[in-house]
Amino acid sequence: MGNRADDEGTDVTIYREALTDTVHADTPIGASEQLLGLLDRLGFDRHTVVTAGPVIVWHEAPEHLYEAAKNRLATHAVPWLHKAGYMVRIADDIWDSAAYTDAATAMRTQSSPAPPPSAAEFRTTNRPSGTHRR
């Protein structure tokens, strides 16, 4: 039983679940609590399923965030994960260059990671003003 991080040989694989707006951050089965805790601190929600075999753990961007905020949160995590020595793969449809730059800049002045400031702005179930549904 594997997941994308196991299949791809990465420490973290970040991708959007097909046909949804759910952003996953998969770690290998048996990932260290240090890695899992870092993903928690970066703003991802931890999910756990206990099976007869290994305990399965994965992270998701909070479901109440809009797609753009999920992308920012996920991309913001990448430089912090790299700094901690982890190999990360992030899907192209999630990548946000500005969020990466902001996180890399924040690493110069912050000693510990935190979710991107913009994620707090989108912690709502209401649509941002000026947006329209197609």
Side-chain angles (χ1 to χ4, degrees):
M1 180 185 313
N3 60 38
R4 289 196 183 188
D6 286 321
D7 295 343
E8 296 178 5
T10 62
D11 296 308
V12 181
T13 298
I14 302 172
Y15 64 96
R16 187 174 325 283
E17 185 177 332
L19 305 176
T20 73
D21 68 348
T22 303
V23 174
H24 283 260
D26 283 358
T27 54
I29 300 295
S32 70
E33 181 57 36
Q34 181 180 6
L35 172 55
L36 301 176
L38 177 56
L39 288 168
D40 295 341
R41 289 189 306 280
L42 289 166
F44 287 94
D45 291 337
R46 187 187 303 203
H47 299 270
T48 306
V49 173
V50 178
T51 69
V55 174
I56 300 170
V57 179
W58 73 97
H59 285 78
E60 295 177 4
E63 67 180 48
H64 58 274
L65 296 177
Y66 288 102
E67 184 176 338
K70 290 178 183 181
N71 293 353
R72 281 193 292 276
L73 183 131
T75 304
H76 179 271
V78 173
W80 290 103
L81 290 162
H82 285 163
K83 182 179 181 181
Y86 297 110
M87 184 179 0
V88 181
R89 181 190 173 283
I90 184 168
D92 291 340
D93 65 324
I94 296 172
W95 183 255
D96 181 322
S97 296
Y100 184 88
T101 300
D102 290 346
T105 300
M107 286 173 45
R108 294 183 190 140
T109 59
Q110 296 175 351
S111 60
S112 62
S118 61
E121 298 170 15
F122 289 91
R123 291 188 176 271
T124 178
T125 56
N126 298 325
R127 289 191 173 280
S129 63
T131 63
H132 303 282
R133 187 168 212 162
R134 291 184 190 198

